[in-house]
Amino acid sequence: MSAQINDTRLAILVAGKKEFLEYGYEGASLRRIAREASVTTGAIYGYFPSKEALFDALTGDAADGLLERYRQVHEEFANLPPIDQAASLENITDDTIPWMINYIYDRLDVFKLLFCKGTAGSCDSYFAQLAQIEEKSSWDFIEAMKELGHEVMDIDGTLIHILARSFFQQILEFVAHDVPREKALSYSLVLGRFQHAGWKKIMGL
């Protein structure tokens, strides 16, 4: 790819991010993006076949990276012997949450697009993918604690789903309301420890 092509693509991405942040996906105009990037609307289609493709180019890598790392963390936890899972419950909060918050805040504009400026339902769809990982991990953990002989509370899939979604909703609030990074880190650790204390009660630990 030539330097000129790289420069043009970058200019479109920069202009697209600015447009989506200001107007949201539905209100964004390819004509304004083209004008801001000093290209024609047709030139945009040469790089991105649709407005959706441009939005995905801005958000896809970061979104996928968070999903994959989150999945990896939970798979590593599930692979621990049950006795080690019980001992590691608090550590996973202190180890994982700062990484997750810093990952988001290092790409804050991108996650503001993803969480607050996308198509109707796009944030909900993304959170559903994260929650699915969390829900599977919760059920796996329940089975591991039963295997150890703990008296686990009788809870159903609806409650597991609500608990799984609640943490991501908190992160959405940080991004939507421009909570500073340090406060987001502090708040999320408190909330994570609060939630895990609840899990310990549920699991009879």
Side-chain angles (χ1 to χ4, degrees):
M1 187 178 290
S2 70
Q4 182 178 358
I5 291 173
N6 270 328
D7 290 346
T8 302
R9 186 177 187 277
L10 179 60
I12 294 169
L13 288 170
V14 170
K17 181 191 287 188
K18 178 180 178 182
E19 179 77 6
F20 288 129
L21 283 171
E22 184 169 353
Y23 296 100
Y25 180 87
E26 300 299 340
S29 163
L30 289 180
R31 289 184 179 180
R32 281 195 299 263
I33 293 172
R35 186 165 58 248
E36 178 72 21
S38 300
V39 299
T40 66
T41 305
I44 293 179
Y45 286 116
Y47 293 91
F48 307 100
S50 64
K51 186 165 71 169
E52 181 180 5
L54 175 56
F55 191 88
D56 287 346
L58 287 164
T59 60
D61 287 347
D64 290 346
L66 182 61
L67 273 172
E68 288 309 309
R69 175 58 181 154
Y70 198 69
R71 183 177 290 109
Q72 180 184 356
V73 165
H74 285 283
E75 287 176 351
E76 290 172 355
F77 183 78
N79 288 331
L80 293 173
I83 190 67
D84 292 338
Q85 289 185 32
S88 300
L89 183 59
E90 292 182 9
N91 291 339
I92 195 173
T93 297
D94 291 346
D95 293 343
T96 303
I97 287 180
W99 173 87
M100 192 171 189
I101 295 299
N102 281 318
Y103 182 94
I104 290 170
Y105 272 73
D106 286 344
R107 304 157 180 83
L108 190 57
D109 283 350
V110 173
F111 279 95
K112 189 175 284 287
L113 288 178
L114 188 64
F115 293 170
C116 309
K117 301 291 184 175
T119 59
S122 61
C123 178
D124 190 70
S125 176
Y126 184 67
F127 279 178
Q129 294 179 72
L130 287 165
Q132 187 176 32
I133 297 169
E134 183 73 25
E135 288 175 52
K136 182 182 184 304
S137 180
S138 298
W139 286 119
D140 289 345
F141 188 50
I142 286 171
E143 291 306 313
M145 294 305 98
K146 286 181 177 179
E147 184 180 327
L148 289 177
H150 292 286
E151 294 186 10
V152 179
M153 289 184 186
D154 185 19
I155 56 177
D156 61 20
T158 299
L159 182 55
I160 292 286
H161 177 73
I162 292 169
L163 290 170
R165 286 293 297 257
S166 64
F167 177 67
F168 305 116
Q169 186 63 38
Q170 294 156 13
I171 292 177
L172 170 60
E173 294 296 323
F174 299 157
V175 174
H177 297 291
D178 298 314
V179 174
R181 184 193 297 249
E182 291 307 313
K183 283 192 174 182
L185 283 165
S186 175
Y187 293 166
S188 62
L189 281 170
V190 171
L191 291 165
R193 289 166 184 164
F194 179 85
Q195 191 171 45
H196 278 183
W199 274 114
K200 289 178 72 174
K201 184 70 174 180
I202 289 170
M203 300 296 176
L205 298 177

